[in-house]
Amino acid sequence: MTVSLPDFPGQVMSETVRGSTHLLRQLGRRRWFRRLVVWTLFAAIYEVAAYIVGPFFLPTIQAVIGSTSGLVSDGAFSSLGGALKQMIVGYLVAVVVGVPLGVLIGVSRVADYILGMYVKALFVTSLIAVLPLLITLVGYGFAFRVTVVLLFAIFFIVLNTAAGVRDVDPQLLSMGRSVGASRLRRAVSITLPSSLPFIISGMRVALANSFGGMILAEIWIARDFGQILTGLAYNRDLPKFMELLWVITLLAAFSAAALKAIERRITPWAASRR
């Protein structure tokens, strides 16, 4: 009598393949894993391109990372810190002014008729064209940089806030009126929570544009951080130049991600609308 034994190595290999496939499928559903794959491919493509075109046109990742000590000794990071402080001031001014202005335009047809057309006109205007006028009005110091960041950020906040106020469910407002809530109470208890996702979305876009406004203002006047940045570009010190750009890009990305996390934290009721 012959007894056929199961192919244990084959079974083990088959179970291993199935387990690996299942693990890859599970990882494929993870957002962080997909981003890791994309950025790994991007880094590989960048490195290959850097080796092909040469360091005169594109530095390698190793060269960019190795330039950190030189940037510290040159004072580039301290100058970047000063530029970021000015950007934060301009961004906060945009939030403090833009949110109430957006609420006013959203709730009042008169305000929308008087102010809305100017906000939309300035929104589509090339801000680069008004920089010489700003230098004439406020000079080229701290006020100029803050004003540039303010103009790059405020219109996104105003328009998104106004859109969020107009998107409030009329039935909720009618319910508030039916229970005798005052206009201020309805604004605080109904309008503001309902429009908060729109406001934070506008703040995220405005924050990304604030970084662009900061760089433009610094390069335009070519002082402090702008002088360092333009000097690195003119001297073709590309490793240091690219590292500064990468640092600014990462700061902008993490700031936007932090605002998005705050939005999900404080507006859980807006998950279905998102």
Side-chain angles (χ1 to χ4, degrees):
M1 182 176 180
T2 303
V3 179
S4 60
L5 298 177
D7 188 7
F8 289 104
Q11 289 181 356
V12 172
M13 183 176 295
S14 178
E15 292 177 359
T16 303
V17 171
R18 286 197 298 268
S20 301
T21 304
H22 178 71
L23 178 61
L24 289 176
R25 289 177 180 176
Q26 292 293 328
L27 289 175
R29 298 188 182 99
R30 303 289 183 178
R31 184 177 300 177
W32 64 267
F33 181 76
R34 296 197 297 266
R35 290 179 177 175
L36 178 63
V37 171
V38 170
W39 283 107
T40 302
L41 291 176
F42 176 77
I45 294 172
Y46 176 90
E47 193 73 4
V48 171
Y51 277 107
I52 292 175
V53 302
F56 185 79
F57 296 100
L58 196 64
T60 62
I61 296 177
Q62 182 179 0
V64 172
I65 297 175
S67 63
T68 303
S69 59
L71 289 174
V72 173
S73 61
D74 294 342
F77 286 128
S78 60
S79 297
L80 175 59
L84 289 173
K85 291 179 182 178
Q86 296 166 358
M87 186 210 74
I88 292 173
V89 173
Y91 176 73
L92 292 178
V93 172
V95 173
V96 172
V97 176
V99 172
L101 184 59
V103 172
L104 180 62
I105 293 175
V107 299
S108 173
R109 292 183 179 179
V110 176
D112 187 20
Y113 180 78
I114 297 175
L115 301 175
M117 57 182 297
Y118 297 105
V119 171
K120 294 173 184 177
L122 290 173
F123 177 71
V124 298
T125 301
S126 175
L127 297 178
I128 300 178
V130 303
L131 293 184
L133 177 61
L134 289 179
I135 293 178
T136 304
L137 295 175
V138 300
Y140 49 84
F142 177 80
F144 171 76
R145 302 172 191 181
V146 171
T147 305
V148 172
V149 174
L150 171 67
L151 292 177
F152 267 75
I154 190 170
F155 300 112
F156 295 96
I157 298 175
V158 172
L159 294 177
N160 262 50
T161 301
V165 171
R166 296 191 189 103
D167 193 66
V168 177
D169 191 350
Q171 294 182 356
L172 294 177
L173 297 175
S174 299
M175 186 182 300
R177 284 191 293 266
S178 65
V179 297
S182 63
R183 189 166 186 174
L184 179 60
R185 183 63 181 272
R186 294 197 303 269
V188 174
S189 302
I190 299 176
T191 303
L192 184 60
S194 298
S195 58
L196 198 56
F198 288 82
I199 296 174
I200 299 180
S201 296
M203 290 172 58
R204 288 209 322 265
V205 179
L207 182 60
N209 278 271
S210 296
F211 281 91
M214 176 194 72
I215 295 176
L216 180 62
E218 293 290 337
I219 292 177
W220 187 267
I221 60 176
R223 296 180 61 183
D224 300 329
F225 179 69
Q227 185 177 5
I228 294 175
L229 202 60
T230 53
L232 293 176
Y234 288 148
N235 296 327
R236 296 203 66 83
D237 196 348
L238 295 185
K240 294 181 181 178
F241 183 83
M242 292 295 293
E243 180 168 358
L244 286 177
L245 291 185
W246 287 4
V247 169
I248 295 172
T249 302
L250 288 175
L251 287 174
F254 284 125
S255 301
L259 275 179
K260 191 172 183 178
I262 293 173
E263 177 190 359
R264 292 179 176 176
R265 180 81 175 183
I266 66 178
T267 59
W269 64 85
S272 59
R273 296 175 67 181
R274 282 193 296 266

